[in-house]
Amino acid sequence: MANDWPLVGREQELAFARRALADPEVCGLLLTGRAGAGKTRLAKVLLAELAGGGARTHWVRAMSSASTIPFGAFAHLLPGSADGSGDRAHRLNQVAGHLTRGAEGRRLVLCVDDAHLLDDLSATLVHQLAATASAFVIVIAPHGVSVPDPVFAMWKDRVAERLDVGELTRPQTTELITAVLDGRLDDGAEHRLWGLTLGNPLFLRELVQGGLDSGSLSAEDGVWRWSGALAATPRLVELIETRTDRVDADERRLLELLAFGEPLGCEPLVRLGAARVLATTEQAGLVVSERTGRRLNVRLAHPLYAEVIRRRTSPLRQRDTYRILAQTLDLTGARRAEDKPRLVRWRLAAGLPTDPQLVRAAAETLLRKDFPQAEQLAAEAVRMGGGFGAKFLLAQVRIAGGRPADADSLLSELAGETVSDAQHARVAATRARNLAFGLNRFDEAAEVLDTAETAVSGTQDDLVAARAALLAASGASRAALELLGPVLDRNRRGDALRLSALVVAAGALSSTGRTEACLGVVDEGLEIASRISDAFAPGAQVRLEHARIVALCRAGRLEEAEDLAGDDYRDAVRDRWGPAVAGAAASLGTVALAYGNVRGAIRWLREALAADAHDQPHEFRPAVAAALVRATAMSGRIAEPRGDWDGAWVAVARGELSRAASLGASAASAAEADGRFAVAAEIRHDLLRFGADPGEIPSAGGMAALYSAHAAARSDASALDAVAASFADVGARLLAAEASAQAARAYRAEGKNGSAATSAQRARAWLASCEDAATPALSLLDTPLDLTVRELEIARLVATGLTSRAVADRLVVSVRTVDNVLHGVYAKLGISGRRELASVVGPLASGSSPGDGP
């Protein structure tokens, strides 16, 4: 990493400084701001510009060790023969004259860093040089400190302008990180860095450097990700300690209380006798106060202060700090909802007696907000004898926190401790879901349900709902919904059981094309999820939100889907909850693919799977992975297929359109057999995009109606134009471009070259927002009219350099068939052989590989 980071986000400050430098009435510039805000960096840029323009520049840095030595800060600029005798005025004139003569007629510019540490004579010299216009003086001082009177007088007397250098905004912070790393930082890491640095360039630099040094910050798939804790460099720790160590014993105790318990209410702190230290530490810039509703809260001035103070506090001191915190919160009565889990945590950390039921309740509250704390509290509740409820909660916390193997061990143990059919069914259902969706052990999950169903009496709806979840995950949407209907009828209360059934129903309804029913189920499920803890249905909200986005995309409501997915993603990143980040990224990838933004889809779908790799696997992971394969193939690159649908797109990327049609037809038939009519409609429309016969497109509403209209307009140029406009109206720009490309080809076949040019122009305009898209329909813009789909397929494969044998093996035909087709192609195109094919029919989409062949 370069020593000097680029100067980002300082355009306004630079413009202000340059105006001051150009103003003949201004002879100085006072730069002030918090430590690490970038004052010195800004001054160095200005000085470099001035030196490049011919000015004589000097850098002066004041230090506390030289603050009692006359002209101590300027010692390195003075000649060894400088006269130390004489009165004050004589010495000032002597030093000022030496500096001005040394400029040799050029403009003299001095930059004084840490001006608050100047000795009296140096401060007076700075003022004299500016006041007499002998030099332009740039003075740097931290915000909130007292500077020597002569320096202050420069600004008061309007000899100098004052420029406050603030922290970077969040977008500027992101821009700076991107420039430094020469790549994008993933949103979760960006959020964490922003939360810790709040735009302070120095703090940002040290944290990024620490991450690079430790290996925690590394690039993956072109995106920089952060794994593990954020590690501050020793330099950053020393800088923060320098600020936080300048306090007395009472002030240090306040800083420790805030480091372990912020934010804290002002009133209870005052009752503890902290009124004086509150005032002094706020004046020193160590703490800030802010009003939240009717409560006046106090917190440390910067998040990194807390990190460093916690690191330096001994275990015994921590225990005593938590005791005081618990007493402080008791003074307010812990009236707010967030106060209760805090009080429980502090009492436990202080070794004070605590009710295990309160500990369990606190763990439930923290489940989505702080997994490590939630697991710690749940484990403590188990240790304290919290019984079945505490142990089951601990298993749920481990599931939600991305530890399915540990959760399975605990659930297996708990299965032998159940005392009722209801408990047994609940544990078995939870274990089955965890085995299937957390550990990808679907067969074992089904066996757990089989065993439980024979062990309990009557129908246990927990088991039925879990069985439906397994069916839905395998694609059997109709069968899943048939099981869930009676479960929902029997369970009308808004509890965890109904919520888990609604989650499964939402995904199944979306795949069948029953959009409105799906959205109604999602609304009800989200309302229940808002009232009960995630401990009772881990990840339910994530799956509901994703099902809603998928349903909206299939309904053609892309803008609405994009807005909701963006909100979900911002909330997930803020909460730093891996499953939610994965789900929201998957939703954004789904929307991007529906728009036709192939590059964006690949980015978001990769992020969904990458986030998932570090947290809880989600139930829709297979669908996300398959969508990533399809998106990759739409860019002309090849990935490993997972099923027939994405396998069809991989065949397209390889140039094997016949195989793509066969795989796509098989996938569509399977979806129809399972009742997934919305999925089947999309697959059959893909067949049309491949240039194959789509068959009958199921009537599933929303986008399916446009797919049917597209199929009906296959060779009708004007109808294809109308379909393209309809796709564009809902935002499906790639589909619009493809339909318009087909219209252009149809117009050319009719000899209507003007209309063909217009349709082609519209197609290319829509393609401008479809980055990296390379689909078969788009190739129609540049391919000869006379070739059939089979001829074009073989011609393009041969154009990549494949032999006739290799092409025959790919397409499962004879070599003679390939050669006969090629001779026909040569005759139609008027070319002599293979070497001319690429220039006429175009190569395969970028990134395709011809593969090996004899």
Side-chain angles (χ1 to χ4, degrees):
M1 189 170 62
N3 290 328
D4 286 328
W5 279 26
L7 194 66
V8 169
R10 296 304 186 196
E11 293 79 9
Q12 292 184 350
E13 289 86 347
L14 282 171
F16 180 93
R18 288 164 181 156
R19 286 195 298 271
L21 285 160
D23 189 339
E25 300 296 323
V26 177
C27 294
L29 181 66
L30 172 61
L31 300 180
T32 185
R34 297 183 186 277
K39 305 179 296 295
T40 301
R41 178 81 173 95
L42 182 65
K44 286 182 176 179
V45 169
L46 290 171
L47 230 61
E49 288 183 0
L50 290 164
R56 175 63 169 167
T57 62
H58 293 295
W59 187 273
V60 175
R61 181 168 186 180
M63 294 182 291
S64 57
S65 59
S67 61
T68 59
I69 302 173
F71 297 116
F74 286 84
H76 65 293
L77 298 179
L78 301 181
S81 59
D83 185 3
S85 62
D87 61 18
R88 181 185 181 94
H90 172 75
R91 297 173 67 190
L92 276 172
N93 290 333
Q94 182 186 34
V95 173
H98 172 75
L99 292 174
T100 53
R101 286 192 301 272
E104 299 176 338
R106 292 177 290 168
R107 186 182 193 185
L108 177 62
V109 181
L110 292 176
C111 183
V112 182
D113 200 1
D114 287 333
H116 60 297
L117 299 177
L118 284 173
D119 60 274
D120 290 342
L121 276 176
S122 293
T124 305
L125 172 64
V126 168
H127 180 273
Q128 178 177 317
L129 289 170
T132 60
S134 301
F136 190 96
V137 181
I138 300 174
V139 175
I140 306 172
H143 179 74
V145 301
S146 298
V147 295
D149 288 341
V151 174
F152 179 73
M154 290 171 54
W155 172 64
K156 184 183 67 173
D157 299 340
R158 304 190 66 81
V159 172
E161 294 281 4
R162 171 174 172 155
L163 175 59
D164 291 298
V165 181
E167 280 75 11
L168 299 175
T169 64
R170 184 163 186 169
Q172 290 168 343
T173 300
T174 302
E175 181 186 353
L176 177 57
I177 298 173
T178 302
V180 169
L181 297 177
D182 192 24
R184 187 179 67 82
L185 194 69
D186 92 288
D187 296 83
E190 182 272 334
H191 181 79
R192 294 173 69 188
L193 278 171
W194 168 256
L196 281 174
T197 66
L198 299 180
N200 185 293
L202 176 61
F203 293 173
L204 182 68
R205 177 195 177 99
E206 295 302 320
L207 282 179
V208 169
Q209 186 63 62
L212 292 172
D213 292 343
S214 67
S216 298
L217 183 61
S218 59
E220 179 183 338
D221 291 329
V223 177
W224 288 85
R225 305 183 189 281
W226 207 297
S227 58
L230 291 166
T233 61
R235 177 170 177 256
L236 178 56
V237 173
E238 292 172 4
L239 288 170
I240 293 174
E241 287 176 345
T242 300
R243 292 216 49 163
T244 57
D245 283 351
R246 299 172 184 169
V247 293
D248 61 27
D250 291 338
E251 291 169 334
R252 170 154 294 282
R253 171 54 82 187
L254 173 64
L255 297 183
E256 290 170 346
L257 289 172
L258 292 172
F260 288 94
E262 67 177 358
L264 296 175
C266 179
E267 291 183 7
L269 288 174
V270 171
R271 292 179 194 173
L272 288 175
R276 177 190 67 81
V277 293
L278 278 172
T280 57
T281 52
E282 185 169 30
Q283 185 177 10
L286 295 173
V287 307
V288 294
S289 57
E290 55 191 8
R291 187 166 295 280
T292 306
R294 291 182 296 175
R295 180 180 290 188
L296 183 62
N297 285 330
V298 181
R299 60 175 176 81
L300 291 171
H302 201 281
L304 283 175
Y305 293 177
E307 294 282 330
V308 172
I309 292 171
R310 285 195 294 265
R311 181 185 301 183
R312 299 181 64 217
T313 306
S314 70
L316 283 175
R317 183 81 170 178
Q318 287 183 32
R319 188 183 182 94
D320 191 49
T321 301
Y322 281 121
R323 179 186 60 78
I324 298 173
L325 284 171
Q327 293 173 348
T328 302
L329 192 53
D330 275 333
L331 290 175
T332 68
R335 293 185 296 270
R336 296 189 176 190
E338 62 269 23
D339 288 342
K340 294 178 181 179
R342 297 173 83 200
L343 181 58
V344 167
R345 286 187 290 127
W346 294 344
R347 291 183 66 84
L348 287 173
L352 300 174
T354 311
D355 185 343
Q357 300 307 315
L358 291 178
V359 176
R360 191 181 82 180
E364 292 174 359
T365 302
L366 290 172
L367 183 56
R368 181 164 181 166
K369 300 175 182 176
D370 190 335
F371 282 122
Q373 283 283 353
E375 182 171 3
Q376 182 180 346
L377 290 177
E380 185 66 19
V382 171
R383 188 192 66 77
M384 296 170 68
F388 174 87
K391 188 174 286 189
F392 186 71
L393 172 64
L394 180 57
Q396 296 282 62
V397 170
R398 287 177 175 172
I399 292 172
R403 297 176 57 191
D406 290 340
D408 183 64
S409 298
L410 191 57
L411 289 167
S412 179
E413 175 187 325
L414 196 57
E417 301 176 8
T418 58
V419 296
S420 67
D421 285 347
Q423 281 189 352
H424 191 81
R426 190 178 180 195
V427 170
T430 303
R431 187 179 179 212
R433 287 175 180 266
N434 182 56
L435 283 167
F437 306 123
L439 297 171
N440 199 31
R441 289 153 56 182
F442 278 82
D443 291 342
E444 192 174 343
E447 291 174 5
V448 167
L449 293 179
D450 291 340
T451 302
E453 286 167 354
T454 60
V456 300
S457 60
T459 299
Q460 293 292 331
D461 284 337
D462 282 298
L463 299 177
V464 179
R467 179 79 70 182
L470 297 187
L471 286 171
S474 69
S477 296
R478 181 188 291 116
L481 289 171
E482 289 173 354
L483 281 180
L484 290 171
V487 173
L488 292 170
D489 288 340
R490 288 191 293 266
N491 297 274
R492 298 289 184 178
R493 291 187 307 159
D495 57 9
L497 174 57
R498 184 170 180 84
L499 176 58
S500 65
L502 291 171
V503 168
V504 180
L509 287 168
S510 173
S511 70
T512 65
R514 296 163 61 184
T515 301
E516 292 306 319
C518 171
L519 295 177
V521 163
V522 168
D523 287 342
E524 182 186 352
L526 290 176
E527 192 278 326
I528 296 173
S530 70
R531 291 189 285 101
I532 69 174
S533 169
D534 275 308
F536 300 111
Q541 182 175 337
V542 174
R543 297 193 290 278
L544 286 168
E545 288 167 343
H546 183 67
R548 175 173 60 183
I549 299 305
V550 173
L552 288 171
C553 287
R554 287 176 175 153
R557 295 157 60 178
L558 302 190
E559 289 188 5
E560 183 180 352
E562 183 178 33
D563 289 342
L564 289 169
D567 291 341
D568 293 341
Y569 184 79
R570 283 185 287 273
D571 291 344
V573 169
R574 180 199 62 211
D575 294 339
R576 291 175 55 190
W577 190 34
V581 172
S587 293
L588 286 168
T590 300
V591 175
L593 198 55
Y595 274 128
N597 179 4
V598 175
R599 182 184 297 178
I602 291 172
R603 173 229 160 158
W604 287 115
L605 294 171
R606 279 180 175 171
E607 179 162 336
L609 296 175
D612 170 69
H614 300 291
D615 295 281
Q616 175 197 5
H618 40 76
E619 294 184 23
F620 43 87
R621 176 184 175 90
V624 174
L628 177 57
V629 173
R630 294 197 301 276
T632 302
M634 287 181 199
S635 71
R637 299 190 297 275
I638 296 169
E640 186 65 31
R642 303 175 61 91
D644 284 350
W645 186 12
D646 44 297
W649 273 103
V650 172
V652 166
R654 292 181 178 276
E656 302 168 1
L657 297 181
S658 300
R659 176 168 172 75
S662 175
L663 289 171
S666 174
S669 296
E672 288 161 351
D674 288 331
R676 292 178 289 125
F677 299 115
V679 176
E682 190 171 344
I683 299 172
R684 291 203 176 277
H685 184 247
D686 282 350
L687 290 173
L688 184 64
R689 299 169 69 189
F690 302 163
D693 182 1
E696 184 178 353
I697 295 181
S699 177
M703 293 297 292
L706 292 181
Y707 300 156
S708 296
H710 192 184
R714 288 179 66 182
S715 57
D716 185 332
S718 60
L720 285 169
D721 267 341
V723 168
S726 296
F727 279 134
D729 286 343
V730 299
R733 293 182 286 268
L734 178 55
L735 298 183
E738 291 178 347
S740 199
Q742 292 168 339
R745 182 179 177 87
Y747 279 127
R748 286 162 56 201
E750 297 171 9
K752 299 179 179 178
N753 292 332
S755 297
T758 300
S759 294
Q761 184 178 7
R762 294 170 71 203
R764 291 190 173 93
W766 283 318
L767 274 178
S769 59
C770 301
E771 294 181 295
D772 294 345
T775 61
L778 298 178
S779 66
L780 297 176
L781 290 170
D782 303 307
T783 54
L785 284 172
D786 295 337
L787 300 186
T788 66
V789 172
R790 173 62 101 182
E791 288 171 336
L792 184 59
E793 176 181 31
I794 290 177
R796 281 201 168 132
L797 287 171
V798 171
T800 67
L802 285 175
T803 64
S804 294
R805 166 62 66 186
V807 173
D809 290 344
R810 279 199 178 190
L811 303 183
V812 196
V813 296
S814 69
V815 175
R816 181 181 295 275
T817 297
V818 172
D819 287 337
N820 288 340
V821 170
L822 281 176
H823 287 307
V825 169
Y826 299 155
K828 286 184 177 183
L829 300 181
I831 60 178
S832 59
R834 295 170 180 257
R835 293 183 179 180
E836 300 175 64
L837 275 176
S839 63
V840 179
V841 301
L844 283 173
S846 62
S848 300
S849 170
D852 299 322

